[in-house]
Coordinates of all heavy atoms in Angstrom, one line a residue:
M1353 N 5.1 -23.7 -22.2 CA 6.1 -23.0 -21.3 C 5.4 -22.5 -20.1 O 4.3 -22.0 -20.1 CB 6.7 -21.9 -22.0 CG 7.6 -22.2 -23.1 SD 8.4 -20.7 -23.7 CE 9.5 -21.4 -24.8
N1354 N 6.1 -22.5 -19.0 CA 5.6 -22.0 -17.7 C 6.1 -20.6 -17.6 O 7.2 -20.3 -17.8 CB 6.0 -22.8 -16.6 CG 5.4 -24.2 -16.6 OD1 4.4 -24.4 -17.2 ND2 6.0 -25.2 -15.9
A1355 N 5.2 -19.7 -17.1 CA 5.6 -18.4 -16.8 C 6.4 -18.3 -15.5 O 6.1 -19.0 -14.6 CB 4.3 -17.5 -16.7
H1356 N 7.4 -17.5 -15.5 CA 8.2 -17.3 -14.3 C 7.4 -16.5 -13.3 O 7.0 -15.5 -13.6 CB 9.5 -16.6 -14.7 CG 10.4 -16.3 -13.5 ND1 11.0 -17.3 -12.8 CD2 10.6 -15.2 -12.8 CE1 11.6 -16.8 -11.8 NE2 11.5 -15.5 -11.8
T1357 N 7.3 -17.1 -12.1 CA 6.6 -16.4 -11.0 C 7.6 -16.1 -10.0 O 8.4 -16.9 -9.6 CB 5.5 -17.3 -10.4 OG1 6.1 -18.5 -10.0 CG2 4.4 -17.5 -11.4
S1358 N 7.6 -14.8 -9.5 CA 8.5 -14.4 -8.5 C 7.8 -14.4 -7.1 O 6.7 -14.1 -7.0 CB 8.9 -12.9 -8.9 OG 9.8 -12.4 -7.8
K1359 N 8.6 -14.7 -6.2 CA 8.1 -14.7 -4.8 C 8.2 -13.3 -4.2 O 7.7 -13.0 -3.1 CB 8.9 -15.7 -3.9 CG 8.6 -17.1 -4.4 CD 9.3 -18.1 -3.5 CE 9.0 -19.5 -4.0 NZ 9.6 -20.5 -3.1
D1360 N 8.9 -12.4 -4.9 CA 9.0 -11.0 -4.4 C 7.7 -10.2 -4.6 O 7.3 -10.1 -5.8 CB 10.2 -10.3 -5.1 CG 10.4 -8.9 -4.7 OD1 9.9 -8.5 -3.6 OD2 11.1 -8.2 -5.4
P1361 N 7.1 -9.7 -3.6 CA 5.8 -9.0 -3.8 C 6.0 -7.7 -4.5 O 5.0 -7.2 -5.0 CB 5.3 -8.8 -2.3 CG 6.5 -8.9 -1.5 CD 7.5 -9.8 -2.2
L1362 N 7.2 -7.2 -4.6 CA 7.4 -5.9 -5.3 C 7.8 -6.1 -6.7 O 8.2 -5.2 -7.4 CB 8.4 -5.1 -4.5 CG 8.0 -4.6 -3.1 CD1 9.1 -3.9 -2.4 CD2 6.8 -3.7 -3.2
H1363 N 7.9 -7.4 -7.2 CA 8.3 -7.7 -8.5 C 7.4 -7.0 -9.5 O 6.2 -7.2 -9.5 CB 8.3 -9.2 -8.8 CG 8.7 -9.5 -10.2 ND1 10.1 -9.5 -10.6 CD2 8.0 -10.0 -11.2 CE1 10.1 -9.8 -11.8 NE2 8.9 -10.1 -12.3
G1364 N 8.0 -6.2 -10.4 CA 7.2 -5.5 -11.4 C 6.5 -4.2 -11.0 O 5.8 -3.5 -11.7
I1365 N 6.7 -3.8 -9.7 CA 6.1 -2.6 -9.2 C 7.2 -1.6 -9.0 O 8.1 -1.8 -8.2 CB 5.4 -2.8 -7.9 CG1 4.3 -3.8 -8.1 CG2 4.8 -1.5 -7.3 CD1 3.5 -4.2 -6.9
T1366 N 7.1 -0.5 -9.7 CA 8.2 0.5 -9.6 C 8.0 1.4 -8.4 O 7.0 1.4 -7.8 CB 8.1 1.5 -10.9 OG1 6.9 2.2 -10.9 CG2 8.3 0.7 -12.2
L1367 N 9.1 2.1 -8.1 CA 9.1 3.0 -6.9 C 8.0 4.1 -7.1 O 7.3 4.5 -6.2 CB 10.5 3.6 -6.7 CG 10.6 4.4 -5.4 CD1 10.3 3.7 -4.2 CD2 12.1 5.0 -5.4
E1368 N 7.9 4.6 -8.4 CA 6.9 5.6 -8.7 C 5.5 5.1 -8.4 O 4.7 5.8 -7.9 CB 7.1 6.0 -10.1 CG 6.1 7.1 -10.5 CD 6.3 7.7 -11.9 OE1 7.2 7.1 -12.7 OE2 5.7 8.6 -12.3
M1369 N 5.2 3.8 -8.8 CA 3.9 3.3 -8.6 C 3.6 3.2 -7.1 O 2.5 3.4 -6.6 CB 3.8 1.9 -9.2 CG 3.9 1.9 -10.7 SD 4.2 0.3 -11.5 CE 2.7 -0.6 -11.1
Q1370 N 4.7 2.8 -6.3 CA 4.5 2.7 -4.9 C 4.2 4.1 -4.3 O 3.2 4.2 -3.4 CB 5.8 2.2 -4.2 CG 6.0 0.7 -4.6 CD 7.4 0.3 -4.0 OE1 7.8 0.7 -3.0 NE2 8.1 -0.6 -4.8
V1371 N 4.9 5.1 -4.6 CA 4.7 6.5 -4.1 C 3.3 7.0 -4.5 O 2.6 7.5 -3.7 CB 5.8 7.4 -4.6 CG1 5.5 8.9 -4.2 CG2 7.2 7.0 -4.0
N1372 N 2.9 6.8 -5.7 CA 1.6 7.2 -6.2 C 0.5 6.5 -5.4 O -0.5 7.1 -5.1 CB 1.5 7.0 -7.7 CG 2.2 8.0 -8.5 OD1 2.4 9.2 -8.1 ND2 2.7 7.6 -9.7
A1373 N 0.7 5.2 -5.2 CA -0.4 4.5 -4.4 C -0.5 5.0 -3.0 O -1.6 5.1 -2.5 CB 0.0 3.0 -4.5
L1374 N 0.7 5.2 -2.4 CA 0.7 5.7 -1.0 C 0.1 7.1 -0.9 O -0.7 7.4 0.1 CB 2.1 5.7 -0.4 CG 2.7 4.3 -0.2 CD1 4.2 4.4 0.2 CD2 1.9 3.5 0.9
V1375 N 0.4 8.0 -1.8 CA -0.2 9.3 -1.8 C -1.7 9.2 -2.1 O -2.4 10.0 -1.4 CB 0.5 10.2 -2.9 CG1 -0.2 11.5 -3.1 CG2 2.0 10.5 -2.5
A1376 N -2.1 8.4 -2.9 CA -3.6 8.2 -3.2 C -4.3 7.7 -1.9 O -5.4 8.1 -1.7 CB -3.8 7.3 -4.4
R1377 N -3.6 6.8 -1.2 CA -4.3 6.2 0.0 C -4.2 7.1 1.2 O -5.2 7.3 1.9 CB -3.6 4.9 0.3 CG -4.2 4.2 1.5 CD -3.6 2.9 1.8 NE -4.3 2.3 2.9 CZ -4.7 1.1 3.0 NH1 -4.5 0.3 2.0 NH2 -5.3 0.7 4.1
F1378 N -3.0 7.7 1.5 CA -2.9 8.5 2.7 C -2.8 10.0 2.5 O -3.2 10.7 3.4 CB -1.5 8.1 3.4 CG -1.5 6.6 3.8 CD1 -0.6 5.7 3.1 CD2 -2.3 6.1 4.8 CE1 -0.5 4.4 3.5 CE2 -2.2 4.8 5.2 CZ -1.3 3.9 4.5
G1379 N -2.4 10.4 1.3 CA -2.2 11.9 1.1 C -0.8 12.3 1.7 O -0.2 11.5 2.5
W1380 N -0.3 13.4 1.2 CA 1.0 13.8 1.6 C 1.1 14.1 3.1 O 2.1 13.8 3.7 CB 1.4 15.1 0.9 CG 1.7 14.8 -0.6 CD1 1.0 15.3 -1.6 CD2 2.8 14.1 -1.2 NE1 1.5 14.8 -2.8 CE2 2.7 14.1 -2.5 CE3 3.9 13.4 -0.6 CZ2 3.6 13.5 -3.4 CZ3 4.8 12.8 -1.5 CH2 4.6 12.9 -2.9
A1381 N 0.1 14.7 3.7 CA 0.2 15.1 5.1 C 0.3 13.8 6.0 O 1.2 13.8 6.9 CB -1.0 15.9 5.5
E1382 N -0.5 12.8 5.8 CA -0.5 11.6 6.6 C 0.8 10.8 6.3 O 1.4 10.2 7.2 CB -1.7 10.8 6.4 CG -1.8 9.6 7.4 CD -3.1 8.8 7.3 OE1 -4.0 9.3 6.6 OE2 -3.2 7.8 7.9
L1383 N 1.2 10.8 5.0 CA 2.4 10.1 4.6 C 3.6 10.7 5.3 O 4.5 9.9 5.8 CB 2.5 10.2 3.1 CG 3.6 9.3 2.5 CD1 3.3 7.8 2.8 CD2 3.6 9.4 1.0
S1384 N 3.7 12.0 5.5 CA 4.8 12.6 6.1 C 4.8 12.3 7.6 O 5.9 12.3 8.3 CB 4.8 14.1 5.9 OG 3.7 14.7 6.6
Q1385 N 3.6 12.0 8.2 CA 3.6 11.6 9.6 C 4.0 10.1 9.8 O 4.6 9.8 10.8 CB 2.2 11.8 10.2 CG 1.8 13.3 10.3 CD 0.4 13.4 10.8 OE1 -0.4 12.5 10.9 NE2 0.0 14.7 11.0
L1386 N 3.6 9.3 8.8 CA 4.0 7.9 8.9 C 5.5 7.7 8.6 O 6.1 6.8 9.3 CB 3.1 7.1 7.9 CG 1.6 7.0 8.2 CD1 0.9 6.4 7.0 CD2 1.4 6.2 9.4
I1387 N 6.0 8.4 7.7 CA 7.4 8.3 7.4 C 8.0 9.7 7.5 O 7.7 10.6 6.7 CB 7.7 7.7 6.0 CG1 7.0 6.3 5.8 CG2 9.2 7.6 5.7 CD1 7.1 5.7 4.4
N1388 N 8.9 9.9 8.4 CA 9.4 11.2 8.7 C 10.5 11.6 7.7 O 11.7 11.4 8.0 CB 9.9 11.3 10.1 CG 10.3 12.7 10.5 OD1 9.9 13.7 9.9 ND2 11.0 12.8 11.6
I1389 N 10.1 12.0 6.5 CA 11.1 12.4 5.5 C 10.7 13.8 5.0 O 9.5 14.1 4.7 CB 11.0 11.4 4.3 CG1 11.4 10.0 4.8 CG2 12.0 11.8 3.2 CD1 11.2 8.9 3.7
N1390 N 11.7 14.7 4.9 CA 11.4 16.1 4.5 C 10.8 16.2 3.1 O 10.0 17.1 2.8 CB 12.7 16.9 4.5 CG 13.0 17.3 5.9 OD1 12.2 17.3 6.8 ND2 14.3 17.6 6.2
C1391 N 11.1 15.3 2.2 CA 10.6 15.4 0.8 C 9.1 15.2 0.8 O 8.4 15.5 -0.1 CB 11.3 14.5 -0.2 SG 11.0 12.7 0.2
F1392 N 8.5 14.6 1.9 CA 7.1 14.4 2.0 C 6.4 15.6 2.8 O 5.2 15.7 2.8 CB 6.7 13.1 2.8 CG 7.1 11.8 2.1 CD1 7.2 10.6 2.8 CD2 7.3 11.8 0.7 CE1 7.5 9.4 2.1 CE2 7.6 10.6 0.1 CZ 7.7 9.4 0.8
K1393 N 7.3 16.4 3.4 CA 6.7 17.5 4.2 C 6.8 18.8 3.5 O 5.8 19.6 3.5 CB 7.5 17.6 5.5 CG 7.4 16.5 6.5 CD 8.2 16.6 7.7 CE 8.1 15.5 8.6 NZ 8.9 15.6 9.8
N1394 N 8.0 19.2 2.9 CA 8.2 20.5 2.3 C 8.0 20.4 0.8 O 8.8 19.8 0.1 CB 9.6 21.0 2.7 CG 9.8 21.1 4.1 OD1 8.9 21.4 4.9 ND2 11.0 20.8 4.6
E1395 N 6.9 21.1 0.4 CA 6.6 21.1 -1.1 C 6.7 19.7 -1.7 O 7.5 19.5 -2.6 CB 7.5 22.1 -1.8 CG 7.4 23.5 -1.3 CD 8.3 24.5 -2.1 OE1 8.7 24.2 -3.2 OE2 8.6 25.5 -1.5
P1396 N 5.9 18.8 -1.3 CA 6.0 17.4 -1.7 C 5.6 17.3 -3.2 O 4.7 17.9 -3.7 CB 5.1 16.6 -0.8 CG 4.1 17.6 -0.4 CD 4.8 18.9 -0.3
S1397 N 6.3 16.4 -3.9 CA 6.0 16.0 -5.3 C 6.5 14.7 -5.5 O 7.5 14.2 -4.8 CB 6.5 17.0 -6.3 OG 7.9 16.9 -6.4
V1398 N 5.9 14.0 -6.4 CA 6.4 12.6 -6.8 C 7.8 12.7 -7.3 O 8.7 11.9 -6.9 CB 5.4 12.0 -7.8 CG1 6.0 10.6 -8.2 CG2 4.1 11.8 -7.2
K1399 N 8.1 13.7 -8.1 CA 9.4 13.8 -8.7 C 10.5 14.0 -7.7 O 11.5 13.3 -7.7 CB 9.5 14.9 -9.7 CG 10.7 15.0 -10.5 CD 10.7 16.1 -11.5 CE 12.0 16.3 -12.2 NZ 12.0 17.3 -13.2
S1400 N 10.3 14.9 -6.8 CA 11.3 15.1 -5.7 C 11.5 14.0 -4.8 O 12.6 13.6 -4.3 CB 11.0 16.4 -4.9 OG 9.9 16.3 -4.2
S1401 N 10.3 13.3 -4.5 CA 10.4 12.1 -3.6 C 11.2 11.0 -4.3 O 12.0 10.4 -3.6 CB 9.0 11.7 -3.3 OG 8.3 12.7 -2.6
L1402 N 10.9 10.8 -5.5 CA 11.6 9.7 -6.2 C 13.1 10.0 -6.3 O 14.0 9.1 -6.1 CB 11.1 9.5 -7.7 CG 9.7 9.0 -7.8 CD1 9.2 9.0 -9.2 CD2 9.6 7.6 -7.2
K1403 N 13.5 11.2 -6.5 CA 14.9 11.6 -6.5 C 15.6 11.3 -5.2 O 16.7 10.7 -5.2 CB 15.1 13.1 -6.9 CG 16.5 13.5 -7.1 CD 16.5 15.0 -7.5 CE 17.9 15.5 -7.8 NZ 17.9 16.9 -8.2
F1404 N 14.9 11.6 -4.1 CA 15.5 11.4 -2.8 C 15.5 9.9 -2.5 O 16.5 9.4 -2.0 CB 14.7 12.1 -1.7 CG 15.1 11.8 -0.3 CD1 16.3 12.4 0.2 CD2 14.4 11.0 0.5 CE1 16.7 12.1 1.5 CE2 14.8 10.7 1.8 CZ 16.0 11.3 2.3
L1405 N 14.4 9.2 -2.7 CA 14.3 7.8 -2.4 C 15.3 6.9 -3.2 O 15.7 5.9 -2.6 CB 12.8 7.3 -2.6 CG 11.8 7.9 -1.7 CD1 10.4 7.5 -2.1 CD2 12.0 7.5 -0.2
R1406 N 15.6 7.3 -4.4 CA 16.5 6.5 -5.2 C 17.9 6.6 -4.6 O 18.8 5.7 -4.8 CB 16.5 6.9 -6.6 CG 15.2 6.4 -7.3 CD 15.1 6.8 -8.8 NE 13.9 6.3 -9.4 CZ 13.1 7.0 -10.1 NH1 13.4 8.2 -10.4 NH2 12.0 6.4 -10.6
R1407 N 18.2 7.7 -4.0 CA 19.6 8.0 -3.4 C 19.7 7.5 -2.0 O 20.8 7.4 -1.5 CB 19.9 9.5 -3.5 CG 20.0 10.0 -4.9 CD 20.3 11.5 -4.8 NE 20.4 12.0 -6.1 CZ 20.7 13.3 -6.4 NH1 20.9 14.1 -5.4 NH2 20.7 13.7 -7.6
T1408 N 18.6 7.2 -1.3 CA 18.7 7.0 0.1 C 18.0 5.6 0.4 O 16.8 5.5 0.5 CB 17.9 8.1 0.9 OG1 18.2 9.3 0.4 CG2 18.2 8.0 2.4
P1409 N 18.8 4.6 0.6 CA 18.3 3.2 0.8 C 17.4 3.0 2.0 O 16.4 2.3 1.9 CB 19.6 2.4 0.9 CG 20.7 3.2 0.4 CD 20.3 4.6 0.6
W1410 N 17.7 3.7 3.1 CA 16.9 3.5 4.3 C 15.5 4.1 4.1 O 14.5 3.5 4.5 CB 17.5 4.1 5.6 CG 17.7 5.6 5.6 CD1 18.8 6.3 5.2 CD2 16.7 6.5 5.9 NE1 18.5 7.6 5.3 CE2 17.3 7.8 5.7 CE3 15.4 6.5 6.4 CZ2 16.6 9.0 6.0 CZ3 14.7 7.7 6.6 CH2 15.3 8.9 6.5
A1411 N 15.4 5.2 3.4 CA 14.1 5.8 3.2 C 13.3 5.0 2.2 O 12.1 4.8 2.3 CB 14.3 7.2 2.6
R1412 N 14.0 4.5 1.2 CA 13.3 3.6 0.2 C 12.8 2.3 0.9 O 11.6 1.9 0.6 CB 14.2 3.2 -0.9 CG 13.6 2.4 -2.0 CD 14.5 2.0 -3.1 NE 13.8 1.3 -4.1 CZ 14.0 1.4 -5.4 NH1 15.0 2.2 -5.9 NH2 13.3 0.6 -6.2
A1413 N 13.5 1.8 1.8 CA 13.1 0.6 2.5 C 11.8 0.9 3.3 O 10.9 0.1 3.4 CB 14.2 0.1 3.4
E1414 N 11.8 2.1 4.0 CA 10.6 2.4 4.7 C 9.4 2.6 3.8 O 8.3 2.2 4.2 CB 10.8 3.7 5.5 CG 11.8 3.5 6.7 CD 11.7 4.6 7.7 OE1 10.7 5.3 7.8 OE2 12.7 4.8 8.4
V1415 N 9.5 3.2 2.7 CA 8.4 3.4 1.7 C 7.9 2.0 1.2 O 6.7 1.8 1.2 CB 8.8 4.3 0.6 CG1 7.8 4.2 -0.6 CG2 9.0 5.7 1.1
E1416 N 8.9 1.1 0.9 CA 8.5 -0.2 0.5 C 7.8 -1.0 1.5 O 6.8 -1.7 1.3 CB 9.7 -1.0 0.0 CG 10.3 -0.4 -1.3 CD 11.6 -1.1 -1.7 OE1 12.2 -1.8 -0.9 OE2 12.0 -0.9 -2.8
A1417 N 8.2 -0.9 2.8 CA 7.6 -1.5 3.9 C 6.1 -1.0 4.1 O 5.2 -1.8 4.3 CB 8.4 -1.4 5.2
L1418 N 6.0 0.3 4.1 CA 4.6 0.9 4.2 C 3.7 0.5 3.1 O 2.6 0.2 3.3 CB 4.7 2.4 4.3 CG 3.4 3.1 4.5 CD1 2.7 2.7 5.8 CD2 3.6 4.6 4.4
Y1419 N 4.3 0.4 1.9 CA 3.5 0.0 0.7 C 3.0 -1.5 0.9 O 1.9 -1.8 0.6 CB 4.3 0.1 -0.6 CG 3.6 -0.4 -1.8 CD1 2.6 0.4 -2.4 CD2 3.9 -1.6 -2.4 CE1 1.9 -0.1 -3.5 CE2 3.2 -2.1 -3.5 CZ 2.2 -1.3 -4.1 OH 1.6 -1.7 -5.2
L1420 N 3.9 -2.4 1.3 CA 3.6 -3.8 1.6 C 2.5 -3.9 2.7 O 1.6 -4.7 2.6 CB 4.8 -4.6 1.9 CG 5.8 -4.8 0.7 CD1 7.0 -5.5 1.2 CD2 5.1 -5.6 -0.4
D1421 N 2.7 -3.1 3.7 CA 1.7 -3.1 4.8 C 0.3 -2.7 4.3 O -0.7 -3.2 4.7 CB 2.1 -2.2 6.0 CG 3.3 -2.8 6.8 OD1 3.5 -4.1 6.6 OD2 3.9 -2.1 7.5
S1422 N 0.3 -1.6 3.4 CA -1.0 -1.2 2.9 C -1.6 -2.2 2.0 O -2.8 -2.3 2.0 CB -0.8 0.2 2.2 OG -0.1 0.0 1.0
L1423 N -0.8 -3.0 1.3 CA -1.3 -4.1 0.5 C -1.9 -5.2 1.4 O -3.0 -5.7 1.2 CB -0.3 -4.7 -0.3 CG 0.2 -3.9 -1.5 CD1 1.3 -4.7 -2.3 CD2 -0.9 -3.6 -2.5
N1424 N -1.3 -5.5 2.5 CA -1.8 -6.5 3.5 C -3.1 -6.0 4.1 O -4.0 -6.8 4.4 CB -0.7 -6.8 4.5 CG 0.5 -7.5 4.0 OD1 0.4 -8.2 3.0 ND2 1.6 -7.4 4.7
D1425 N -3.1 -4.7 4.4 CA -4.4 -4.1 5.0 C -5.5 -4.3 4.1 O -6.6 -4.6 4.5 CB -4.2 -2.7 5.4 CG -3.2 -2.5 6.6 OD1 -3.0 -3.5 7.3 OD2 -2.8 -1.3 6.8
D1426 N -5.3 -4.0 2.8 CA -6.3 -4.2 1.8 C -6.8 -5.6 1.6 O -8.0 -5.9 1.5 CB -5.8 -3.7 0.4 CG -5.7 -2.2 0.3 OD1 -6.3 -1.5 1.2 OD2 -5.0 -1.7 -0.6
A1427 N -5.8 -6.5 1.7 CA -6.2 -7.9 1.6 C -7.0 -8.4 2.8 O -7.9 -9.2 2.6 CB -4.9 -8.8 1.5
Q1428 N -6.7 -7.9 4.0 CA -7.4 -8.3 5.2 C -8.8 -7.7 5.1 O -9.8 -8.4 5.6 CB -6.7 -7.8 6.4 CG -5.5 -8.6 6.7 CD -4.7 -8.1 7.9 OE1 -5.1 -7.1 8.5 NE2 -3.7 -8.8 8.3
E1429 N -9.0 -6.5 4.6 CA -10.3 -6.0 4.5 C -11.2 -6.7 3.5 O -12.4 -6.9 3.7 CB -10.2 -4.5 4.0 CG -9.7 -3.6 5.1 CD -9.5 -2.1 4.6 OE1 -9.9 -1.9 3.4 OE2 -9.0 -1.3 5.3
N1430 N -10.6 -7.3 2.5 CA -11.3 -8.0 1.5 C -11.7 -9.4 2.0 O -12.6 -10.0 1.5 CB -10.6 -8.1 0.2 CG -10.5 -6.8 -0.5 OD1 -11.3 -5.9 -0.3 ND2 -9.5 -6.6 -1.3
T1431 N -10.9 -10.0 2.9 CA -11.2 -11.4 3.4 C -12.2 -11.4 4.5 O -12.6 -12.5 4.9 CB -9.9 -12.1 3.8 OG1 -9.3 -11.3 4.8 CG2 -9.0 -12.2 2.6
E1432 N -12.5 -10.3 5.1 CA -13.5 -10.3 6.2 C -14.8 -10.7 5.7 O -15.1 -10.8 4.5 CB -13.5 -8.9 6.9 CG -12.2 -8.6 7.6 CD -12.3 -7.2 8.2 OE1 -13.3 -6.5 8.1 OE2 -11.2 -6.8 8.8
S1433 N -15.7 -10.9 6.6 CA -17.1 -11.4 6.3 C -17.8 -10.4 5.3 O -17.6 -9.2 5.5 CB -17.9 -11.6 7.5 OG -18.1 -10.4 8.2
P1434 N -18.5 -10.8 4.4 CA -19.1 -9.9 3.4 C -20.2 -9.1 4.1 O -20.8 -9.5 5.1 CB -19.7 -10.8 2.3 CG -19.8 -12.2 3.0 CD -18.8 -12.2 4.1
A1435 N -20.5 -7.9 3.5 CA -21.5 -7.0 4.1 C -22.9 -7.7 3.8 O -23.8 -7.5 4.6 CB -21.4 -5.7 3.4
F1436 N -23.0 -8.4 2.8 CA -24.3 -9.0 2.5 C -24.3 -10.5 2.9 O -23.4 -11.2 2.6 CB -24.5 -9.0 0.9 CG -25.8 -9.7 0.5 CD1 -27.0 -9.3 0.8 CD2 -25.6 -10.9 -0.1 CE1 -28.1 -10.0 0.5 CE2 -26.7 -11.7 -0.5 CZ -28.0 -11.2 -0.2
D1437 N -25.2 -10.8 3.8 CA -25.3 -12.2 4.3 C -26.4 -12.9 3.6 O -27.6 -12.6 3.9 CB -25.5 -12.2 5.8 CG -25.5 -13.6 6.3 OD1 -25.1 -14.6 5.6 OD2 -25.8 -13.8 7.5
P1438 N -26.2 -13.8 2.6 CA -27.3 -14.5 1.9 C -28.1 -15.3 2.8 O -29.3 -15.7 2.4 CB -26.6 -15.3 0.8 CG -25.2 -15.5 1.3 CD -24.9 -14.3 2.2
W1439 N -27.7 -15.7 3.9 CA -28.4 -16.6 4.8 C -29.1 -15.9 5.9 O -29.7 -16.5 6.8 CB -27.5 -17.6 5.4 CG -26.8 -18.4 4.4 CD1 -25.5 -18.4 4.1 CD2 -27.3 -19.4 3.5 NE1 -25.2 -19.2 3.1 CE2 -26.3 -19.9 2.7 CE3 -28.6 -19.9 3.4 CZ2 -26.5 -20.9 1.7 CZ3 -28.8 -20.9 2.4 CH2 -27.8 -21.4 1.6
A1440 N -29.1 -14.6 5.9 CA -29.7 -13.8 7.0 C -31.2 -14.0 7.1 O -31.8 -14.0 8.2 CB -29.5 -12.3 6.7
N1441 N -31.9 -14.2 6.0 CA -33.4 -14.4 6.0 C -33.8 -15.9 5.8 O -34.9 -16.1 5.4 CB -34.0 -13.5 5.0 CG -33.9 -12.1 5.3 OD1 -33.9 -11.7 6.5 ND2 -33.7 -11.2 4.3
S1442 N -32.9 -16.8 6.0 CA -33.3 -18.2 5.8 C -34.2 -18.7 6.9 O -34.3 -18.2 8.0 CB -32.0 -19.1 5.7 OG -31.4 -19.2 7.0
R1443 N -34.8 -19.8 6.6 CA -35.8 -20.4 7.6 C -35.0 -21.0 8.7 O -35.6 -21.1 9.8 CB -36.6 -21.5 6.9 CG -37.6 -20.9 5.9 CD -38.4 -22.0 5.3 NE -39.0 -21.6 4.1 CZ -39.6 -22.3 3.2 NH1 -39.7 -23.6 3.5 NH2 -40.2 -21.8 2.2
I1444 N -33.8 -21.4 8.5 CA -33.0 -22.1 9.6 C -32.8 -21.1 10.7 O -32.8 -21.5 11.9 CB -31.7 -22.6 9.0 CG1 -32.0 -23.6 7.9 CG2 -30.8 -23.1 10.1 CD1 -30.7 -24.1 7.1
N1445 N -32.5 -19.9 10.4 CA -32.2 -18.9 11.4 C -33.4 -18.4 12.2 O -33.3 -17.8 13.2 CB -31.5 -17.7 10.8 CG -30.1 -18.0 10.4 OD1 -29.5 -19.0 10.8 ND2 -29.5 -17.2 9.5
K1446 N -34.6 -18.6 11.7 CA -35.8 -18.0 12.3 C -36.4 -18.9 13.4 O -37.4 -18.6 14.0 CB -36.8 -17.8 11.2 CG -36.5 -16.7 10.2 CD -37.5 -16.4 9.2 CE -37.1 -15.3 8.3 NZ -38.1 -15.0 7.3
K1447 N -35.7 -20.0 13.7 CA -36.3 -20.9 14.8 C -36.1 -20.3 16.1 O -35.6 -19.6 16.7 CB -35.6 -22.2 14.7 CG -36.1 -23.0 13.6 CD -35.5 -24.4 13.6 CE -36.0 -25.3 12.5 NZ -35.5 -26.6 12.5

């Protein structure tokens, strides 16, 4: 049997996982600057944020977009040239 693969990048990722990842990466202060939502500014908590985001589609869309952008940023950092260059001391470069 073939496993079902989804083309949705958010498949299997809950809103709570997204908020926790964004808070871990940016912190509440920077997150409130990136997304202007009061639940990120005034006494922020994951619980209050989830309650607001589940009721407000536009805010949830912004959080999902920022989460996807942060995933893309991580992927781009990983695909750049490695810090260690195995050919740095080769005889070919010393000519």
Side-chain angles (χ1 to χ4, degrees):
M1353 288 186 175
N1354 293 339
H1356 175 70
T1357 57
S1358 176
K1359 293 182 181 182
D1360 181 15
L1362 295 175
H1363 180 74
I1365 298 178
T1366 65
L1367 186 59
E1368 183 176 5
M1369 292 166 68
Q1370 293 173 35
V1371 171
N1372 286 329
L1374 291 173
V1375 170
R1377 180 176 180 137
F1378 299 111
W1380 289 111
E1382 189 175 350
L1383 191 57
S1384 68
Q1385 291 175 353
L1386 293 170
I1387 302 175
N1388 190 16
I1389 300 175
N1390 281 338
C1391 66
F1392 292 162
K1393 294 178 181 181
N1394 301 327
E1395 298 180 23
S1397 71
V1398 174
K1399 184 177 179 180
S1400 67
S1401 299
L1402 291 175
K1403 186 174 181 180
F1404 176 76
L1405 293 171
R1406 287 181 179 133
R1407 294 180 183 180
T1408 316
W1410 65 265
R1412 182 178 183 146
E1414 287 195 28
V1415 168
E1416 289 174 347
L1418 181 61
Y1419 178 76
L1420 290 173
D1421 286 344
S1422 69
L1423 289 180
N1424 290 338
D1425 291 345
D1426 288 342
Q1428 288 176 355
E1429 288 175 6
N1430 291 337
T1431 59
E1432 291 177 2
S1433 62
F1436 173 72
D1437 184 9
W1439 302 108
N1441 294 326
S1442 71
R1443 293 182 197 173
I1444 297 170
N1445 290 341
K1446 291 184 180 181
K1447 286 185 178 179

